[in-house]
Amino acid sequence: MSIINNGPAALAAETDNNSFGWDPSLLVPATYDIVWSLVVFVVLLLFFWKFVLPQLNKILDERASKIEGGIEQAAAVQAEADARKDEYEQLLAEARTEAAEIREKARAEGESIKAEKKQETQNELDRMTKSAKDQIEAERQSAIVSLRQEVGSLALDLASGVVGENLADDQRSSVYVDRFLNELDQKAGTNR
């Protein structure tokens, strides 16, 4: 059938064959077109099957292995991070324990130093008290000696006035004064 027809008679013959105005042979290709299309399709299919598909599979396998390697590497990194976190937490717990021990040790040392300083202060106070008592006793003894001399001198003056003689240079006057002072001491001892 020829697509190009000359004249109205050919057109009328065509319209008789087809009442709807279309030719079914337009949708069905010719046999040689089907054969050559199949040949080209098979050649392209073989080309893709032989060259393209293995390369595509290779690329997909590499990508899958990279992804799996990345997942494994991420899992390894995660495990290492977890291990380091556990190690960090353990070190932190040890540091806290050590800090508590250091605080307790420092507190104990502070208490020890405080007790030591308190004892030193008490010892110094005891020493100062003893020194003050010794000084007071020495001054008391000095005052007693001075007072004895003064009382002795007054007693000699009084006795000289009563007796009418000078008793200051005499050896006996010393004996009298000593005896008088001893009697005063004895009387003071009984009155206490």
Side-chain angles (χ1 to χ4, degrees):
M1 163 161 177
S2 131
I3 295 184
I4 302 175
N5 281 337
N6 292 338
L11 187 59
E14 245 181 75
T15 58
D16 287 336
N17 290 342
N18 188 354
S19 59
F20 295 111
W22 62 279
D23 187 11
S25 65
L26 289 176
L27 294 177
V28 178
T31 308
Y32 67 88
D33 282 338
I34 292 174
V35 171
W36 283 111
S37 294
L38 281 176
V39 169
V40 170
F41 179 73
V42 168
V43 169
L44 286 175
L45 182 67
L46 288 175
F47 175 76
F48 273 97
W49 189 273
K50 184 73 173 164
F51 297 109
V52 175
L53 193 59
Q55 289 294 330
L56 184 63
N57 284 337
K58 182 179 173 186
I59 290 171
L60 290 176
D61 289 342
E62 286 175 2
R63 182 174 284 174
S65 67
K66 282 182 183 179
I67 290 172
E68 289 174 2
I71 291 172
E72 290 173 1
Q73 185 179 9
V77 168
Q78 182 66 37
E80 183 179 344
D82 289 342
R84 286 191 181 187
K85 180 182 175 191
D86 292 342
E87 182 180 334
Y88 167 76
E89 288 174 353
Q90 182 181 5
L91 288 174
L92 187 62
E94 288 175 4
R96 286 181 179 153
T97 303
E98 187 176 336
E101 289 173 359
I102 289 171
R103 271 194 311 269
E104 185 62 30
K105 188 176 181 180
R107 188 193 61 72
E109 272 185 35
E111 291 293 325
S112 172
I113 290 171
K114 183 178 172 183
E116 185 179 311
K117 291 298 180 182
K118 188 175 182 181
Q119 184 62 39
E120 285 177 8
T121 304
Q122 186 62 42
N123 290 343
E124 183 67 20
L125 284 173
D126 291 345
R127 187 189 63 76
M128 289 172 65
T129 303
K130 185 179 181 295
S131 173
K133 284 181 180 178
D134 290 346
Q135 186 177 3
I136 289 170
E137 185 61 32
E139 287 179 8
R140 184 176 154 275
Q141 290 298 327
S142 173
I144 288 174
V145 168
S146 173
L147 187 61
R148 277 180 172 246
Q149 288 175 354
E150 182 92 17
V151 168
S153 169
L154 288 174
L156 280 177
D157 288 344
L158 184 63
S160 294
V162 169
V163 174
E165 295 181 19
N166 189 6
L167 299 174
D169 293 333
D170 195 34
Q171 181 72 14
R172 284 186 328 187
S173 64
S174 309
V175 172
Y176 290 134
V177 169
D178 287 339
R179 189 178 68 191
F180 175 73
L181 289 176
N182 285 336
E183 287 175 6
L184 282 178
D185 281 343
Q186 286 175 356
K187 285 181 185 179
T190 58
N191 287 340
R192 281 195 228 171

